[in-house]
């Protein structure tokens, strides 16, 4: 019920993203149901039905990736101070995000089932009733368990991916984590100083503290108030997040007060530099090697969507290439930002380069996936012979679905990155930075990424088309 209320009360931009998720889920569910209809109309060709079902894994993965990106940018499921006091901790917010994703994808899957039944002629009242009765085996009863399984596949996969990605994590250093069962220790620090009541329940407030005593001529403690101790943050904790204040009642204790204003989430921990470039390059090289080997070695021939026919191992090579680009995307983005601010940069290049390095872990993987999709589309267009029959409606639907999900995922990741740097942008504007500088930095980041990833996409597409070139 809470997930439904949060869904209804969201802003129009959030509702639009959820509607796009439902549309992508409807397209994927319709492709899966069409695979079932083809299997019913061709009972003597199980290999063809299995091949069509395997090709549906690509739109399914694209839809799940897009749903995950939308769930990460949903402001209704973001941790805020005070939510833990009413029972909305990180685990509950993760469950709400998974339930919201399940609602959006289930709505699309139900719409796909209704359209499928109308095309079969099982439901009437629409202009296109029974338009594809021969293709979808309208004369054969539809197996309900198989149809429901295929319809529930997209919501189950999307909600499971959201739950696994947004599950609560302990971001504290390894040496400061405490046991969950020792509840009494949560009210005291290592130095024995008491904390304010309820401080243990605030999201991100339980960081390690280290009590230090400043030497004074009168003795240990605060030089203005002898006998009092000052609590300072540990060396591995950001000192801006806590402010040590003396207790007004003279009990000799120091209180820890969050430095951020009420209603604003605490600062995110610094993200480590991406280190997936060697693994991504290895997977990319392995995929290209598999494709080259498959082109020289005769084997089982596979008919690809759209007409081209080639070795079955080419599919494995394309999969490895796409995974390699996705893994290497964050590192390439980080490297692009580092190169952008090299060689004595000015304020503009420094701002653009630092922004790319900070956003590499957010937009790098979606950018790599989009490059993989673009290279695949370029390869299919280069191999298509005008004498061959045109692309079928299901092939066109699948290609448009994968390309649209990849592009929408990248745009959603860009929205997430913009939300993450909203505080920095506001601080720059308060310091007097002109808005034209911020827009120029954004344009410089986009140009640097295009200068790196467009040639990479064309090179990968050219190498991937070699095994299938006659």
């Amino acid at each position: 019920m809470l997930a439904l209320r949060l869904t209804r009360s969201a802003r129009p931009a959030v509702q639009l993203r959820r509607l796009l998720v439902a549309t992508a889920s409807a397209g994927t569910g319709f492709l899966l149901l069409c695979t079932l209809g083809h299997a019913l109309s061709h009972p003597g060709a199980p290999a063809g039905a299995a091949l069509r079902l395997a090709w549906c894994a690509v739109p399914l993965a694209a839809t799940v990736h897009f749903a995950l990106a939308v769930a990460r940018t949903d402001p209704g499921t973001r941790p805020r101070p005070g939510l833990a006091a009413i029972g909305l901790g990180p685990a509950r917010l993760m469950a709400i995000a998974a339930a919201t994703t399940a609602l959006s994808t289930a709505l699309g899957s139900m719409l796909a089932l209704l359209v499928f039944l109308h095309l079969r002629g099982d439901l009437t009242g629409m202009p296109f009733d029974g338009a594809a009765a021969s293709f979808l085996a309208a004369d054969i009863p539809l197996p309900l368990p198989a149809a429901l399984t295929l319809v529930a596949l997209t919501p189950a996969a999307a909600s499971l991916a959201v739950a696994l990605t947004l599950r609560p994590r302990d971001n504290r250093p390894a040496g400061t984590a405490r046991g969950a069962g020792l509840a009494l220790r949560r009210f005291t620090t290592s130095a024995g100083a008491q904390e304010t009541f309820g401080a243990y329940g605030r999201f991100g407030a339980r960081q390690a503290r280290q009590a230090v005593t400043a030497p004074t001529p009168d003795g240990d403690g605060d030089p203005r108030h002898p006998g009092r101790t000052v609590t300072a943050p540990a060396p591995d904790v950001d000192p801006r997040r806590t402010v040590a204040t003396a207790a007004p009642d003279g009990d000799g204790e120091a209180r820890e007060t969050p430095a951020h204003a009420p209603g604003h989430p605490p600062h995110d921990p610094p993200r480590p530099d991406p280190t997936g470039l060697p693994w991504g390059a290895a997977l990319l090289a392995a995929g290209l090697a598999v494709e080259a080997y498959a082109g020289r070695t005769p084997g089982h021939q596979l008919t690809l969507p759209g007409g081209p026919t080639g070795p079955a191992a080419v599919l494995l090579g394309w999969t490895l290439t796409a995974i390699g680009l996705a893994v290497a995307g964050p590192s390439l983005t980080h490297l692009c930002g580092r190169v952008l601010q090299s060689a004595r940069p000015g304020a503009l290049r420094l701002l653009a380069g630092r922004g790319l390095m900070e956003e590499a872990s957010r937009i790098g993987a979606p950018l790599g996936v989009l490059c993989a999709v673009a290279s695949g589309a370029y390869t299919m267009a280069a191999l298509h012979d005008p004498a061959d029959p045109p692309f079928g409606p299901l092939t066109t639907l699948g290609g448009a679905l994968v390309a649209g999900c990849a592009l929408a995922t990248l745009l959603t990741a860009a929205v997430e990155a913009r939300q993450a740097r909203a505080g920095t942008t506001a601080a720059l504007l308060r310091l007097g930075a002109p808005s034209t500088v911020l827009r120029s930095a954004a344009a410089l980041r986009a140009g640097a990424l295009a200068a790196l990833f467009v040639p990479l996409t064309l090179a990968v597409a050219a190498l991937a088309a070699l095994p299938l070139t006659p």
Side-chain angles (χ1 to χ4, degrees), residues 215-289:
T216 62
D218 299 332
D220 296 338
D222 193 341
R224 295 173 296 177
H225 302 281
R228 293 188 179 181
T229 60
V230 179
T231 302
D236 54 356
V237 179
D238 190 356
R240 296 173 295 178
R241 297 186 62 173
T242 57
V243 177
T245 58
D249 52 358
D251 56 355
E253 297 173 358
R255 306 298 185 192
E256 296 176 354
T257 305
H260 54 82
H264 293 276
H267 297 284
D268 292 334
R271 295 175 177 267
D273 294 340
T275 57
L277 183 58
W279 296 101
L283 289 174
L284 181 61
L288 294 177

Side-chain angles (χ1 to χ4, degrees), residues 86-148:
I86 59 175
L88 293 178
R92 184 72 180 275
L93 291 177
M94 177 269 296
I96 293 176
T100 303
T101 303
L103 286 176
S104 301
T105 52
L107 177 63
S109 297
M110 289 296 103
L111 180 61
L113 180 59
L114 290 178
V115 173
F116 177 76
L117 293 178
H118 275 291
L119 291 178
R120 275 176 52 94
D122 296 335
L123 298 180
T124 58
M126 297 292 290
F128 50 85
D129 293 337
S134 59
F135 176 75
L136 299 179
D139 54 341
I140 302 177
L142 183 67
L144 186 60
L148 293 180

